[in-house]
Amino acid sequence: MFFGETPNCGAGLRSRGHAELCVAQQTRGRLGAQRVDPRVPRAGSLRYRSFSPVPPDLRRLMRAALYARTGPPHEVLQLVELPTPHPRAGEVRVKLSWSGVNPSDVKTRAGTRTRTLPFTSIVPHSDGSGVIDEVGADVPHARIGERVWVWNAAWGRPFGTAAEYVVLPADQAVPLPGRVDLAAGACLGIPALTAHHAVTVDGVYGDRKSVV
């Protein structure tokens, strides 16, 4: 699993505004991982131990990027193993292919907003894309196998898309047309929704309006 921060979006978006750093690295690879001790009670005291690459048939644990303090990525990001989550009522689980990185993700991890984390540890990134592989109660089973893009996965939560799986409310996993690449889907969250909001917030658009 690879995660990085670069100035352009992996799907080709090159705006230096809200799309800046919106790239994702595919959650594939042969890197080793570390297990997190679930008994650790507070930030800054996570204990890790080395662990070999995850066998493909081991489904109860997933790999994720995680940080428990703010700072430069090479100092605070850890590749760890966490319990694979399961959806509750009204939720879906997405097997992620891409994790989108936005300026807000970078600023939170770097500590430029605040150096006090809202959670003991954080799996970062709000945007991403992948395929729904499990649904909770009240969600149609027909959604299993659906290609989706996800938004605000890390908003007010400690579990974002820098992982192999993410669980979130069903309406935050939006169907992605088959002709749209999953890499592009990972860039639709914060960048596309911000652009849509900017155009529609004052109600000045219409059938005869053009946006350049």
Side-chain angles (χ1 to χ4, degrees):
M1 175 165 43
F2 304 95
F3 298 95
E5 296 171 4
T6 70
N8 300 315
C9 178
L13 297 178
R14 297 183 181 277
S15 167
R16 295 290 296 179
H18 290 281
E20 184 183 17
L21 302 176
C22 172
V23 171
Q25 308 277 359
Q26 285 183 317
T27 56
R28 299 171 184 163
R30 298 183 178 276
L31 293 180
Q34 296 172 309
R35 279 183 179 160
V36 178
D37 187 336
R39 297 168 296 179
V40 176
R42 63 185 185 278
S45 62
L46 288 176
R47 296 190 293 272
Y48 301 98
R49 62 188 179 91
S50 297
F51 192 72
S52 59
V54 183
D57 60 342
L58 185 59
R59 300 301 182 192
R60 61 187 181 86
L61 294 175
M62 69 172 184
R63 288 173 294 181
L66 173 150
Y67 62 91
R69 59 186 177 89
T70 58
H74 63 281
E75 293 182 6
V76 301
L77 286 175
Q78 299 281 345
L79 180 61
V80 303
E81 286 186 334
L82 299 172
T84 301
H86 295 281
R88 298 174 296 183
E91 296 179 332
V92 298
R93 185 176 73 184
V94 178
K95 181 175 174 58
L96 292 158
S97 298
W98 294 85
S99 176
V101 188
N102 289 280
S104 58
D105 302 311
V106 175
K107 291 173 184 177
T108 300
R109 188 264 308 143
T112 57
R113 290 175 164 178
T114 175
R115 304 194 75 84
T116 302
L117 296 179
F119 305 101
T120 299
S121 58
I122 293 175
V123 175
H125 305 168
S126 288
D127 299 340
S129 64
V131 177
I132 293 176
D133 77 329
E134 188 176 334
V135 298
D138 303 324
V139 179
H141 281 263
R143 295 206 65 182
I144 294 177
E146 191 174 77
R147 299 168 75 251
V148 296
W149 59 276
V150 305
W151 55 278
N152 269 6
W155 179 258
R157 299 158 20 108
F159 301 110
T161 64
E164 292 183 291
Y165 297 90
V166 68
V167 166
L168 70 174
D171 62 358
Q172 287 178 235
V174 184
L176 187 69
R179 66 182 181 277
V180 179
D181 187 76
L182 284 168
C187 297
L188 290 177
I190 290 175
L193 291 176
T194 300
H196 180 269
H197 182 75
V199 172
T200 62
V201 66
D202 286 332
V204 296
Y205 70 100
D207 293 340
R208 296 178 181 271
K209 297 288 185 178
S210 299
V211 178
V212 179

